[in-house]
Amino acid sequence: MAEPRVLVLDDDPPPDLRRLAGRARVLRTDESGLAAALPEADVLLVWNFLSDAVKRAWPGDGPRPSWVHTASAGVDRLLPELAGSDTVITNARGVFDQPIAEYVTGWVLAMAKDFAGSWELQRSHRWQHRETMRVGGTRAVVVGSGPIGRAIGRTLLALGVSVELVGRTAREGDAEFGHVNGFEALDGLLPEADWVVCAAPLTPATDGLFDAKAFARMKDGAAFVNIGRGAHVVTADLVDALGTGRLRGAAVDVLREEPLGPESPLWDVPGLWISPHMSGDTLGWRRDLAEQFCDNFDHWAAGRPLLNIVDKRLGYVPAH
Amino acid sequence: MAEPRVLVLDDDPPPDLRRLAGRARVLRTDESGLAAALPEADVLLVWNFLSDAVKRAWPGDGPRPSWVHTASAGVDRLLPELAGSDTVITNARGVFDQPIAEYVTGWVLAMAKDFAGSWELQRSHRWQHRETMRVGGTRAVVVGSGPIGRAIGRTLLALGVSVELVGRTAREGDAEFGHVNGFEALDGLLPEADWVVCAAPLTPATDGLFDAKAFARMKDGAAFVNIGRGAHVVTADLVDALGTGRLRGAAVDVLREEPLGPESPLWDVPGLWISPHMSGDTLGWRRDLAEQFCDNFDHWAAGRPLLNIVDKRLGYVPAH
C-alpha cells in the first residue's frame, strides 16, 4: 500500500508530525487550497481549528477523506456540514481539561477578590482596603458535563465550592458530583448560583443559551464565565445585564467575533473581562495536540478503533 | 464581683460586643488615651491591630491587664515589649486561614495565566493570544507551617501543585504534607520552586528573610507571594530582583510602609502587584473576629483556659 496522505489545514506554527515520517506523506494547505487538495487526502488534520474552510468544502466535488481530526475540543466549525457524510470526526478531547479548569478557577478567585479593582487602585497609587468574598461555601453551576465541565467542577469542589453540573441528560449516582442535572433544571439552578460557567459544546440546543432571560434569573452579585463558544451567549443581552450593575462581572475567553476587532465596544464594557480564546492553551499545548493526533494515527494505521470519535448528531464525544 | 472591664483599642468600625452585655463593662479608647486607660482594664482587646500603641504603653505606670487579645494573626506589634510581663496574649488564629489561602491561590493562577497581561491588552483593544502556564505539576514552597501556611498548602495541593512547607522545626509524618522542612532547608528548596509564598509569623528569625540572596536562589520564571508581613522582605532587594526580569512577578499584600503613600515608587514597579493588606478580610471578617473574642471571653469569665495563647518567646501560637 502506498503511504497514506495526511492533509494538514495549516496554521502558524505548523504541527510537529515527525513521528509520521516514513509512514505517511504529509501535505499542507491553507484555506484557499483546501477544496482542491481534499480529493487526494486520506486523512485531514484541521490544525487551524478556527477556520470555517472545512465546512465550506463539504461535501464538494470528488472524494473526501474518511477521517477528519480537529485540534480542538469543539466541532462546531465542522457541523452540520460533515454530519451527513461517512467521514469520521475525532477531536482533541482531554488536552484542554485541566488548563481550562485552572483558568476558570483563576477567574472565580480574581472576581471574588477584586483583583481588577486592586490593579486599578495600584495604577492610581491608592491604598484602599476592601472586604472581599470568601469562595469556600459559594455555589457554582457548570453548564457542560463533558471532560472540561467536569474538570472545572472538580477544581471548584476542591476550593470548597458546591457544584451543580448541567448536561444533556439528568443522571444520578455520579461518583464525583452525586448527580448531573439535565438542561431542564437550569432555570431553577441559576438563581442559586454565585458562579455560572458555560463549558458546553455548541449545538443547536445550546446556541444562545445565555440570553436576557438567563441573566435575569441570576442572583445579585453572581458572575458569569464563558469558556465554551461565543455563540452560547447573546452578546447584547450580556452587555445589558452587566449594565444594570447587578452582576459581579463576566469573564469571557470566547466571543462571537474572533479575533475581536479594535473598534468593538465590547472592550470597554465595565465588568466584562475579555481574553483571546486562550484558556486551554498552556505552554506545550501545540505539542500535546500533535502527539494526540499521532497517537490516533497509530490507531488508524493499525486498523484499530479511533479515539475520541465525535457523535455527529450530538456534536461531541459521548461519555460512554 | 464587679463587672470586669474590657478596654477596646478601637478602630472604625468598632467591634460588635453586644454578647458581653451585662457581663462586662466595655470601655473604648483611641491610641492617645490607651496608656491612661490601661490601669483600670482587666482585659484589652486590640481591635486596631495595625497600631503600635500597645507596645509603647508597656510596661508603663500602674497595673496592666492580665489578658490582651489581638484581632490579628500576627503579634509582631505586641512583641517583644509584652514578652517580659505576666500578661497573656491571644490572637485571631483561624479566622484568616481559608480567605488567605484563596487569595494566594488566586494570585498563583492570575500570574500563571497572565491575567494582568490580558487586562492591559483589553485596555488597548488588542486581541493577542499567548500561551500560558499550567499550574498542575508545578512546585510551591510555603514558608510558614502554621494554620495559614497549611491552608495555603492544602489549597495548592488540591490544584495539583506539589508543596513543601517550611517551618521552625523539621518533622516527618505530617498527615497532609508528608513532612515539614526546617528553615535550614529553605536555601535548597528555593531553586526548585515555581511559587514561593511567605506565610510566616514575623519574628527575629524571619525578619528580612527574603533578601537579595534568597531572590537570587529562585529559578527563572518563579513568582513570589507575601501575605506575611512587609518586614519579611528587603524591599529594595525585591525591586532589584524584579528589575532583572528573571522572575514572573511578585504579589504582596503587606509592605513595610502601610498604608503605602501615593508618592511611593513601589506602585509603579513592573511585575509587582500590590494589595492593601486585605487578603484575609472577607465579608463578615469583623463579625468573625468579634465573635472569636467573645468566645474567648466566655472561657476567661468561666476560669477555663484561654484559646489561642501566643507563645511570647516564639511569637505565635504553637501547634501543640
Side-chain angles (χ1 to χ4, degrees):
Chain A
M1 170 181 163
E3 281 188 351
R5 276 174 288 207
V6 173
L7 179 65
V8 182
L9 177 59
D10 227 336
D11 196 9
D12 184 38
D16 178 355
L17 300 179
R18 282 174 290 184
R19 263 178 68 186
L20 306 188
R23 299 193 295 145
R25 190 165 156 219
V26 176
L27 308 164
R28 306 204 140 102
T29 184
D30 59 11
E31 291 185 333
S32 64
L34 179 69
L38 276 174
E40 306 297 319
D42 298 294
V43 178
L44 173 65
L45 168 58
V46 185
W47 189 247
N48 178 3
F49 51 81
L50 297 176
S51 169
D52 284 323
V54 180
K55 62 165 68 178
R56 290 198 306 268
W58 232 267
D61 296 326
R64 288 293 178 263
S66 60
W67 171 33
V68 172
H69 179 88
T70 179
S72 61
V75 294
D76 45 292
R77 289 195 168 83
L78 304 177
L79 298 180
E81 284 75 0
L82 273 68
S85 73
D86 293 335
T87 298
V88 173
I89 300 175
T90 60
N91 74 356
R93 177 185 169 102
V95 170
F96 301 105
D97 306 353
Q98 190 56 32
I100 292 180
E102 294 175 355
Y103 211 85
V104 170
T105 303
W107 258 332
V108 163
L109 289 165
M111 287 196 274
K113 309 301 182 185
D114 191 26
F115 282 180
S118 290
W119 286 330
E120 287 292 336
L121 287 163
Q122 179 170 353
R123 187 181 285 272
S124 52
H125 292 201
R126 288 165 62 203
W127 180 275
Q128 186 181 307
H129 182 279
R130 291 100 65 208
E131 297 181 355
T132 62
M133 186 178 178
R134 185 190 282 251
V135 172
T138 62
R139 300 181 189 193
V141 167
V142 180
V143 179
S145 61
I148 293 175
R150 298 183 68 91
I152 293 167
R154 192 178 302 127
T155 308
L156 292 175
L157 278 178
L159 284 177
V161 178
S162 67
V163 175
E164 295 284 351
L165 286 191
V166 176
R168 196 172 52 95
T169 315
R171 57 180 186 274
E172 294 301 318
D174 187 276
E176 288 182 296
F177 300 95
H179 64 273
V180 175
N181 303 277
F183 270 107
E184 67 283 357
L186 182 60
D187 278 358
L189 291 169
L190 286 178
E192 306 297 322
D194 300 289
W195 317 102
V196 177
V197 182
C198 175
L202 182 63
T203 67
T206 62
D207 197 319
L209 183 66
F210 291 96
D211 59 5
K213 281 170 69 177
F215 294 122
R217 298 192 77 87
M218 293 183 197
K219 73 178 187 187
D220 289 1
F224 176 67
V225 177
N226 189 12
I227 54 81
R229 286 287 183 263
H232 282 121
V233 175
V234 180
T235 311
D237 290 359
L238 173 59
V239 171
D240 287 348
L242 289 168
T244 66
R246 270 209 325 115
L247 299 183
R248 181 174 304 272
V252 297
D253 189 52
V254 287
L255 287 166
R256 284 175 184 263
E257 178 190 348
E258 293 185 10
L260 190 66
E263 304 305 322
S264 171
L266 291 179
W267 294 112
D268 298 316
V269 172
L272 181 63
W273 310 112
I274 295 171
S275 66
H277 205 143
M278 58 186 255
S279 66
D281 306 343
T282 44
L283 293 161
W285 69 296
R286 288 193 163 88
R287 183 196 60 223
D288 294 344
L289 287 170
E291 288 296 304
Q292 185 184 45
F293 171 71
C294 291
D295 289 344
N296 226 352
F297 181 87
D298 291 344
H299 281 245
W300 183 82
R304 298 201 304 273
L306 288 169
L307 307 170
N308 290 357
I309 294 179
V310 171
D311 181 320
K312 293 190 284 187
R313 188 178 50 82
L314 294 176
Y316 51 87
V317 180
H320 304 292
Chain B
M1 168 182 164
E3 282 188 349
R5 276 173 289 206
V6 173
L7 179 65
V8 182
L9 176 60
D10 228 337
D11 195 9
D12 185 37
D16 178 356
L17 300 179
R18 282 174 290 183
R19 263 178 68 187
L20 306 187
R23 298 194 296 146
R25 190 164 156 220
V26 176
L27 307 164
R28 306 207 138 102
T29 184
D30 60 10
E31 291 186 333
S32 64
L34 179 70
L38 276 174
E40 305 298 318
D42 298 295
V43 178
L44 173 65
L45 168 58
V46 185
W47 188 247
N48 178 2
F49 52 81
L50 298 175
S51 168
D52 284 324
V54 179
K55 63 164 67 178
R56 290 197 307 268
W58 233 268
D61 296 325
R64 287 293 178 265
S66 59
W67 171 33
V68 171
H69 178 86
T70 179
S72 61
V75 293
D76 45 291
R77 290 195 168 83
L78 304 177
L79 299 179
E81 284 77 358
L82 274 67
S85 72
D86 293 335
T87 298
V88 173
I89 300 175
T90 60
N91 75 355
R93 177 184 170 103
V95 170
F96 301 105
D97 305 354
Q98 190 55 32
I100 292 179
E102 293 175 355
Y103 211 86
V104 170
T105 304
W107 259 333
V108 163
L109 288 164
M111 287 196 274
K113 308 302 180 183
D114 192 26
F115 282 179
S118 289
W119 287 331
E120 288 291 337
L121 288 163
Q122 179 170 354
R123 187 181 286 272
S124 52
H125 294 200
R126 288 166 61 204
W127 180 276
Q128 187 182 307
H129 182 278
R130 293 98 66 210
E131 298 182 356
T132 62
M133 186 178 178
R134 185 190 280 251
V135 171
T138 61
R139 301 180 189 195
V141 167
V142 179
V143 180
S145 61
I148 293 175
R150 297 182 69 90
I152 294 167
R154 191 178 303 128
T155 308
L156 292 175
L157 278 178
L159 283 177
V161 177
S162 69
V163 175
E164 295 284 351
L165 287 191
V166 176
R168 195 171 53 95
T169 316
R171 58 180 186 273
E172 293 301 318
D174 186 278
E176 288 183 297
F177 299 96
H179 64 273
V180 175
N181 303 277
F183 270 106
E184 67 283 358
L186 182 60
D187 278 358
L189 291 169
L190 286 177
E192 305 297 322
D194 299 288
W195 317 102
V196 177
V197 181
C198 174
L202 181 63
T203 67
T206 62
D207 197 319
L209 183 65
F210 292 95
D211 59 6
K213 281 170 68 177
F215 294 122
R217 296 192 79 87
M218 293 184 198
K219 74 179 187 185
D220 289 0
F224 176 67
V225 177
N226 189 11
I227 53 82
R229 286 286 184 263
H232 281 122
V233 175
V234 179
T235 312
D237 290 358
L238 174 58
V239 172
D240 286 348
L242 289 167
T244 66
R246 267 207 330 115
L247 300 183
R248 181 173 303 270
V252 296
D253 189 52
V254 287
L255 287 167
R256 285 175 184 264
E257 177 191 351
E258 293 184 13
L260 190 66
E263 304 305 323
S264 171
L266 291 178
W267 295 111
D268 298 316
V269 172
L272 181 63
W273 310 112
I274 295 172
S275 65
H277 204 143
M278 59 185 251
S279 66
D281 305 344
T282 44
L283 293 161
W285 69 297
R286 287 181 209 273
R287 183 196 62 224
D288 294 344
L289 286 170
E291 288 295 304
Q292 185 183 46
F293 171 72
C294 291
D295 289 345
N296 226 352
F297 182 87
D298 291 345
H299 281 245
W300 183 81
R304 298 201 306 271
L306 287 170
L307 306 170
N308 289 357
I309 294 179
V310 172
D311 182 319
K312 294 190 285 187
R313 186 179 51 81
L314 295 175
Y316 52 86
V317 180
H320 305 289

